[in-house]
Amino acid sequence: MTAPESTTTPGSAAALALGDDALVLSHRLGEWAGHAPVLEEEVALANIALDLLGQARVLLSLVGDEDDLAYLREERAFRNLQLVEQPNGDFAHTIARQLYFSTYQHLLYAELSGGDGPFAPLAAKAVKEVAYHRDHAEQWTLRLGDGTDVGHERMGRACEALWRFTGEMFQPVEGLDVDRERLEAAWLTSVEDVLRRATLTIPEGPRSGAWQAGAGRQGLHTEPFGRMLAEMQHLHRSHPGASW
């Protein structure tokens, strides 16, 4: 299944992009089930994954059949950010990914909720959930970064490794009417404040001229995404039309 024809309309293109972000990150976080470092964190990550899945269902249903879009599209038809498809890595990598993305998503939904566009109702509800996601990531970043030498080293390495994927969040998306420059400035201020309080070095990368990632919105994805998609779509494709 290729990208649906309805995504040629600006609003549908934006709904697909935001829906794919939520769907893919939800699946990544779901991979922690049974593997989280402590029981409380098992529940927390599962809850965040469920919040994102709920957002994905609403957004994808604006474009077409949510199940077909999730399970029958080919890799090149997905429009998610490359950041959210990155493997979980160790726990520090998951937290760095959450800090970067949830800060962006919180700022984005806060702006959308204050407008009168088609995403305002969803954003008004989701912004409360995402505020918790951002706070969860912030608290873990502070705990790991300003904790033991091992935690500090791993958290710093994770923030550095994923930094090059952050520039893509502020590329234009057709149908998404936001002030991208203001959004990016606010994101930088927020993330850099958290990293400083965590005693972590602010990475250099996309904004200093170094190579940066960022073609997920155009359907180009990193190697780990193909393996993730094969796992996510396996059951639906193996038993088409099946129901419990």
Side-chain angles (χ1 to χ4, degrees):
M1 181 182 182
T2 56
E5 294 182 1
S6 56
T7 58
T8 55
T9 63
S12 294
L16 190 68
L18 299 182
D20 283 350
D21 285 346
L23 174 69
V24 171
L25 186 56
S26 172
H27 186 82
R28 279 297 189 208
L29 291 173
E31 292 174 348
W32 274 106
H35 303 282
V38 294
L39 191 58
E40 183 179 5
E41 198 55 26
E42 181 101 3
V43 176
L45 293 175
N47 281 334
I48 294 172
L50 286 173
D51 287 343
L52 291 168
L53 187 61
Q55 295 168 21
R57 293 189 63 186
V58 173
L59 288 161
L60 294 181
S61 67
L62 297 175
V63 184
D65 184 278
E66 62 189 47
D67 288 324
D68 287 351
L69 289 168
Y71 296 125
L72 296 179
R73 269 185 299 162
E74 303 294 336
E75 178 180 332
R76 291 291 296 269
F78 278 79
R79 294 294 181 264
N80 57 277
L81 297 164
Q82 290 184 352
L83 173 65
V84 300
E85 70 193 37
Q86 295 310 301
N88 288 325
D90 66 16
F91 188 64
H93 271 76
T94 293
I95 293 302
R97 189 183 62 201
Q98 285 299 110
L99 177 68
Y100 292 161
F101 181 75
S102 63
T103 301
Y104 155 77
Q105 198 184 34
H106 185 241
L107 291 166
L108 174 65
Y109 281 1
E111 181 159 337
L112 292 175
S113 67
D116 56 0
F119 302 117
L122 164 75
K125 179 182 179 183
V127 72
K128 300 171 187 173
E129 300 171 345
V130 179
Y132 164 74
H133 304 173
R134 188 195 58 76
D135 184 65
H136 173 267
E138 178 180 333
Q139 294 308 314
W140 268 110
T141 301
L142 296 173
R143 191 180 306 178
L144 294 173
D146 198 21
T148 66
D149 290 343
V150 173
H152 179 85
E153 190 272 335
R154 287 191 174 191
M155 196 65 219
R157 193 166 54 198
C159 290
E160 180 71 35
L162 295 175
W163 188 253
R164 68 190 178 93
F165 293 100
T166 60
E168 187 182 9
M169 293 188 287
F170 307 102
Q171 292 179 359
V173 176
E174 189 179 12
L176 195 59
D177 186 21
V178 293
D179 187 334
R180 290 180 292 107
E181 290 186 1
R182 186 174 64 186
L183 197 68
E184 185 170 15
W187 182 89
L188 274 171
T189 298
S190 178
V191 168
E192 289 180 358
D193 174 67
V194 174
L195 296 182
R196 285 194 186 94
R197 286 189 286 125
T199 71
L200 294 166
T201 301
I202 297 171
E204 297 180 0
R207 294 164 193 85
S208 63
W211 180 85
Q212 60 175 299
R217 297 293 195 218
Q218 290 76 51
L220 298 178
H221 299 283
T222 54
E223 185 178 351
F225 183 61
R227 294 193 293 272
M228 191 212 87
L229 202 61
E231 179 180 319
M232 189 179 83
Q233 296 182 336
H234 168 72
L235 186 62
H236 187 90
R237 287 180 180 273
S238 299
H239 304 279
S243 61
W244 294 104

